[in-house]
Amino acid sequence: MAELVYRPVVGLALTMFKAWDLKIDCKGSENIPRSGGAVLVSNHISYLDFIFNGLAALPQKRLVRFMAKESVFRHKISGPLMRGMKHIPVDRKQGEAAYQHALESLRSGEIVGVFPEATISQSFTLKSFKSGAARLAQEAGVPLIPMAVWGTQRLWTKGHPKNFKRSHTPVTIRVGEALEASKDKYAGAITRQLRERVQELLEAAQRAYPVRPKDAGDTWWMPAHLGGTAPTPEQVREAEAR
């Protein structure tokens, strides 16, 4: 029954992308398994990342069940859609229920999408990864699929206005080879390896990105280490501590 909701939503998203004239460059979708469970792990720089993560799975005819904060499921518009698509609500005060829900989904052969940074990175660099994705993959006996998105922050991200006009904005997506989550390894070690893989994919996506800021006022979406004016990770931490 979930697909009665999910597939029309996918169709709507694709129609919107066409209307916005987005230039989507996705490589590596073949690394997503055509059947069986897997944990899809991505960086997080935009409110729309889950849509593009899911888009990368479509060539393999897979639909991804994303773990998302519980408040999204209480919204009068997004809530029924999120529940209808069998996404997984996460109450950060009671995370065990979400963990068990995701585990059951993986064991039933679903792909579960996880953002191990937990929140959007306002510096557009990788934050530290929580170990939940690795533990899920270990316990369910499924692979981890690393991926990275770039350019989505230009559409809608924290602290900046939405840009849903016909903008021709490029979005670059890179999906890496599966990473085994061996049960005889420490989850922290797997998480560090996973973060390294996502970092490599993020750098590859950034190198492949076809445009650069057009002027000094357009540098906000580039991280500081690449010459942009996005806040550094240290500046973000200082602001959050105030």
Side-chain angles (χ1 to χ4, degrees), residues 165-240:
K165 58 187 179 182
R166 190 173 175 83
S167 59
H168 321 293
T169 301
V171 173
T172 304
I173 307 166
R174 293 293 181 266
V175 185
E177 295 180 358
L179 174 65
E180 181 184 359
S182 175
K183 292 184 179 180
D184 61 3
K185 290 184 69 174
Y186 176 52
I190 297 173
T191 301
R192 286 191 292 274
Q193 186 179 5
L194 178 63
R195 187 181 183 280
E196 289 172 0
R197 292 276 187 92
V198 174
Q199 179 65 41
E200 291 169 358
L201 292 166
L202 177 58
E203 291 174 1
Q206 290 168 338
R207 287 193 300 270
Y209 200 67
V211 302
R212 293 292 180 267
K214 55 182 179 288
D215 53 42
D218 188 43
T219 58
W220 65 269
W221 56 272
M222 288 286 281
H225 75 278
L226 292 180
T229 54
T232 65
E234 294 75 22
Q235 289 171 331
V236 173
R237 285 194 292 269
E238 289 173 4
E240 291 174 342

Side-chain angles (χ1 to χ4, degrees), residues 100-121:
Q100 290 301 321
H101 187 167
L103 192 58
E104 291 171 8
S105 296
L106 290 168
R107 286 173 171 166
S108 67
E110 301 276 12
I111 294 180
V112 172
V114 177
F115 297 106
E117 297 169 279
T119 59
I120 288 174
S121 170

Side-chain angles (χ1 to χ4, degrees), residues 7 11 16 20 32 49 81 83 110 115 127 136 155 164 170-171 183-184 188 207 210 225:
R7 294 193 185 282
M16 290 167 52
W20 296 342
I32 297 173
D49 289 336
L81 293 175
R83 290 190 294 273
E110 301 276 12
F115 297 106
K127 302 172 68 172
L136 277 171
L155 298 172
F164 291 166
V171 173
K183 292 184 179 180
D184 61 3
R207 287 193 300 270
H225 75 278

Side-chain angles (χ1 to χ4, degrees), residues 62-134:
R62 302 302 303 273
L63 299 175
V64 184
R65 317 301 175 182
F66 287 94
M67 301 185 76
K69 60 183 180 180
E70 192 267 342
S71 60
V72 178
F73 291 77
R74 288 189 271 107
H75 190 275
K76 63 181 180 180
I77 296 175
S78 64
L81 293 175
M82 295 294 282
R83 290 190 294 273
M85 291 185 282
K86 290 205 305 186
H87 295 313
I88 302 169
V90 179
D91 183 342
R92 290 175 182 169
K93 294 180 181 179
Q94 298 177 323
E96 184 59 28
Y99 183 92
Q100 290 301 321
H101 187 167
L103 192 58
E104 291 171 8
S105 296
L106 290 168
R107 286 173 171 166
S108 67
E110 301 276 12
I111 294 180
V112 172
V114 177
F115 297 106
E117 297 169 279
T119 59
I120 288 174
S121 170
Q122 292 177 267
S123 67
F124 309 132
T125 62
L126 280 191
K127 302 172 68 172
S128 61
F129 277 21
K130 298 185 181 301
S131 63

